[in-house]
Amino acid sequence: MSSYKIPVIPGDGIGPEVITEGKKVMEAAAELFQFDISWIDFDIGAERYIKTGKLIEEEELKELSRYKAIYLGAVGDPKVKPGILEKGILLKIRFYFDQYINLRPIKLLKGVETPIKNKKPEDINFLVIRENTEDFYVGIGGRVERGKSKQELELARDLYSIKFGLDIEHDADEIAYQIGVISKEGARRVIEYAFERSMERRKNLSSVDKANVLSDIYGFWRDVFGEVSKGYPDVETSFYFVDAITMWFVKNPEWFDVIVTPNMFGDIITDLGAMIQGGMGLAPGGNINPSGTSMFEPIHGSAPKYKGKNVSNPIATIWAGSMILETLGEKKAAKTILDAIEENLSQRVALTRDLGGDSTTKEVGDAIVRMMKNIEQK
Ligand code: IPM
Ligand code: MN
């Protein structure tokens, strides 16, 4: 019998309550499909940070690196200045483990209403593959007062290290700048992953950029895409500017099968994607390093307003759990979870408020467990 240990970071706000349901469903899947699952809880998040100043410690990262998949609830708390927890925990994990793929399925499940008129589940079913370690997320920039100054900026990665030395002289009141970086290998590896995923699907891959204006950085992305595409003559490819693709997401979502995008545009278009698939409560994401430690999470935040109220939708988190099982090779269990989620939605058995129901977070988890058992008995 296979046996899996999964590190869990429930985190802040509604994180712990949605993670509880996710674990419950995965445990039920383990029982049905006869594997063993156990959890290692990590107390990482706002509360500990406020008490001790600790975000995520080097030893914790080392410990986490022993596992294939981390299960994360949410981080973020209004008591902590915006950015501290996000950068110190979430982005830290993505960068430390070089999780260069951010996989976000945009799929309208049966029974879910999309805000886009006349679109059906068969019209909204694509994958966004967001580059997850570079672009304007590399964290180098600064604010500079009037006059002359020197700035040393450093970027140290497993893939490469870069030093920028800037001599700045300006007579504006004050300026700020941020440097975005895309490396050839950084782009190549995620684009290649996207082509591989396209080969398993409808063989249609779209690349997103803004090469008409930010032509150095995104012109480079486009060139790398062009090079990688030569290895996949069977995949039909298209380029979209990021502004235009937001329009097509709403007007013709059925055009898309797999989309690959640099980091920041991926961040933006996947919130739109989440809405067209029925809302943030239904959108999971995987931060993937195919040969290392990955992390799976709902893409929504910690929703502090709803903390402890037992009203939040746990489906995004349960779906993220299904993605973990898929990664671990438990394909049948992963599929059964997704089928049970869909069954629950289409029969409207237990729906939280965001979906027009009045069920609690816990009732949704329980209903999905029941549905899984039914599906398995059929
Ligand atoms: C996301 C979030 C994060 C991001 C934030 C919280 C750092 O918006 O996962 O999409 O920008 O990547
Ligand atoms: Mn985001």
Side-chain angles (χ1 to χ4, degrees):
M1 187 158 84
S2 305
S3 169
Y4 308 103
K5 270 201 168 104
I6 300 176
V8 190
I9 305 175
D12 307 324
I14 61 170
E17 53 207 90
V18 290
I19 280 283
T20 299
E21 300 315 305
K23 285 162 74 174
K24 180 198 288 174
V25 171
M26 288 167 80
E27 281 166 9
E31 214 179 296
L32 281 174
F33 294 92
Q34 290 169 19
F35 54 89
D36 198 63
I37 201 161
S38 60
W39 313 99
I40 310 160
D41 276 301
F42 282 78
D43 168 29
I44 290 168
E47 237 162 80
R48 185 180 78 164
Y49 174 70
I50 292 165
K51 269 192 227 133
T52 67
K54 288 184 190 168
L55 288 161
I56 185 164
E57 304 281 283
E58 190 61 31
E59 294 131 63
E60 290 169 326
L61 290 162
K62 289 229 169 77
E63 166 73 12
L64 288 168
S65 73
R66 298 172 48 209
Y67 305 96
K68 208 148 168 59
I70 302 166
Y71 201 17
L72 180 115
V75 294
D77 189 298
K79 295 197 283 296
V80 181
K81 207 174 117 209
I84 306 263
L85 301 164
E86 293 84 346
K87 285 195 215 163
I89 299 173
L90 192 64
L91 295 182
K92 179 82 191 178
I93 293 174
R94 291 181 185 167
F95 293 163
Y96 184 91
F97 296 111
D98 198 18
Q99 294 165 344
Y100 61 90
I101 297 151
N102 192 329
L103 177 66
R104 297 186 163 180
I106 309 294
K107 185 173 160 66
L108 178 64
L109 299 178
K110 281 188 216 113
V112 178
E113 218 180 294
T114 170
I116 307 182
K117 213 167 57 187
N118 300 330
K119 295 295 173 190
K120 307 253 157 351
E122 58 272 24
D123 299 319
I124 302 177
N125 182 7
F126 58 94
L127 292 180
V128 177
I129 295 168
R130 165 185 175 192
E131 198 289 322
N132 212 27
T133 61
E134 299 196 313
D135 199 22
F136 288 100
Y137 274 67
V138 294
I140 49 182
R143 292 185 181 206
V144 191
E145 306 259 359
R146 192 191 324 261
K148 284 189 182 191
S149 65
K150 270 190 187 309
Q151 312 260 306
E152 295 289 332
L153 304 164
E154 217 182 317
L155 180 58
R157 288 289 164 78
D158 287 348
L159 274 185
Y160 51 79
S161 71
I162 307 177
K163 282 191 180 137
F164 293 91
L166 295 184
D167 283 317
I168 303 177
E169 185 177 344
H170 74 85
D171 60 1
D173 185 14
E174 191 180 1
I175 59 159
Y177 65 92
Q178 194 91 39
I179 294 180
V181 175
I182 288 181
S183 68
K184 194 170 195 174
E185 176 57 15
R188 190 206 56 77
R189 58 186 187 172
V190 70
I191 292 169
E192 184 177 281
Y193 177 85
F195 272 103
E196 288 295 324
R197 296 308 297 253
S198 307
M199 291 296 289
E200 301 158 6
R201 295 174 55 104
R202 304 198 300 270
K203 299 193 175 59
N204 180 317
L205 178 61
S206 306
S207 171
V208 177
D209 62 49
K210 186 73 187 175
N212 49 344
V213 179
L214 302 171
S215 44
D216 289 305
I217 187 164
Y218 300 125
F220 185 57
W221 169 272
R222 226 179 234 228
D223 289 349
V224 177
F225 184 94
E227 267 172 48
V228 178
S229 73
K230 289 184 195 146
Y232 298 87
D234 296 343
V235 178
E236 193 187 329
T237 59
S238 337
F239 292 102
Y240 291 91
F241 295 134
V242 63
D243 48 350
I245 208 168
T246 60
M247 178 173 76
W248 300 125
F249 266 25
V250 173
K251 194 157 185 299
N252 295 108
E254 67 281 359
W255 286 356
F256 301 106
D257 178 30
V258 180
I259 292 173
V260 66
T261 163
N263 207 342
M264 192 172 69
F265 298 150
D267 179 43
I268 298 167
I269 67 174
T270 51
D271 271 22
L272 177 56
M275 285 321 285
I276 70 171
Q277 72 180 324
M280 280 302 209
L282 298 169
N287 302 270
I288 300 172
N289 177 334
S291 58
T293 299
S294 301
M295 169 178 70
F296 296 83
E297 55 175 346
I299 81 168
H300 63 66
S302 59
K305 219 167 75 187
Y306 299 109
K307 174 182 173 153
K309 297 214 153 71
N310 202 22
V311 296
S312 300
N313 190 345
I315 290 179
T317 307
I318 295 170
W319 192 343
S322 156
M323 292 172 80
I324 292 185
L325 293 181
E326 163 122 36
T327 302
L328 296 174
E330 296 293 343
K331 307 260 178 225
K332 235 181 127 196
K335 179 165 188 306
T336 305
I337 293 179
L338 195 55
D339 289 346
I341 290 174
E342 196 158 30
E343 192 90 354
N344 174 50
L345 291 166
S346 57
Q347 297 183 25
R348 302 187 71 78
V349 177
L351 305 181
T352 42
R353 275 188 224 167
D354 54 316
L355 299 176
D358 59 4
S359 299
T360 63
T361 307
K362 180 176 179 302
E363 283 163 355
V364 175
D366 291 341
I368 290 171
V369 168
R370 280 200 309 276
M371 299 279 158
M372 271 169 48
K373 291 183 178 154
N374 290 343
I375 293 171
E376 247 318 88
Q377 272 157 20
K378 272 187 211 152

